[in-house]
Each structure stands twice: as structure tokens, then as C-alpha cells.
């Protein structure tokens, strides 16, 4: 199990995409933030969806994505739709 996979919401697929994007540690993900990490993933996988973005945000905050506040999810959804 990689360092990334120890974070909430980060499984093998997300960890692999993050590593390919140059974000290979939990510290790098936290420092990059969910939006920057998502943009890097989208360069590799243009089909990455809003669930991926929610998962990254949850990982950064250290919580399961289902526990993200609705305000934050709405903000992330606006960001996602702007891409």
C-alpha cells in the first residue's frame, strides 16, 4: 500500500493517477490541494469525473468524501463545470 492509499478516498487507481501526475506522497497532495491535483489528473485522464474531485478533497481534508460540507461540494462542482 502506498502512502497515498493510506489517505481517505484514495485507492489504487487514484494513487496511480496521482503518481503519474507527479504527486506521489500524501504531503504533495495536501500541498497541491484538490483542484490542482485534479487538473493534473485530467491531463492524464480527461474522463476524470466530479467524484474524483470530491475524493481528492476528502483526502486533503482527511475525511471520507461523503462527509464534505455541501457548501464545499457546491464550490467544487462549480469549479468542475468551469473546466
Amino acid at each position: 500500500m502506498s502512502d497515498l492509499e493510506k489517505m481517505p478516498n484514495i485507492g489504487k487507481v487514484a494513487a496511480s493517477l496521482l503518481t503519474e501526475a507527479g504527486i506521489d506522497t500524501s504531503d504533495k497532495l495536501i500541498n497541491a490541494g484538490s483542484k490542482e491535483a485534479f487538473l493534473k489528473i485530467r491531463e492524464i485522464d480527461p474522463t476524470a469525473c466530479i467524484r474524483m474531485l470530491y475524493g481528492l478533497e476528502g483526502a486533503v481534508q482527511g475525511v471520507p468524501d461523503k462527509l464534505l460540507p455541501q457548501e464545499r461540494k457546491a464550490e467544487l462542482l462549480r469549479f468542475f463545470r468551469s473546466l
Side-chain angles (χ1 to χ4, degrees):
M1 178 180 283
S2 74
D3 176 53
L4 289 167
E5 289 178 73
K6 294 176 185 173
M7 300 179 81
N9 315 309
I10 304 297
K12 289 182 181 185
V13 172
S16 177
L17 287 167
L18 286 164
T19 299
E20 191 174 342
I23 301 172
D24 56 1
T25 67
S26 57
D27 286 339
K28 286 183 182 178
L29 176 54
I30 291 167
N31 288 331
S34 60
K35 291 178 182 177
E36 182 179 331
F38 184 75
L39 290 174
K40 289 182 178 190
I41 287 174
R42 284 288 290 259
E43 290 177 13
I44 297 162
D45 179 5
T47 67
C49 66
I50 187 66
R51 299 291 310 156
M52 173 69 76
L53 181 55
Y54 290 160
L56 293 170
E57 179 64 21
V60 168
Q61 290 192 26
V63 299
D65 59 356
K66 66 182 178 183
L67 297 180
L68 290 173
Q70 287 303 314
E71 286 179 13
R72 183 63 178 151
K73 283 186 173 182
E75 179 187 335
L76 292 170
L77 183 58
R78 284 190 298 274
F79 170 77
F80 179 80
R81 287 180 174 163
S82 75
L83 299 178

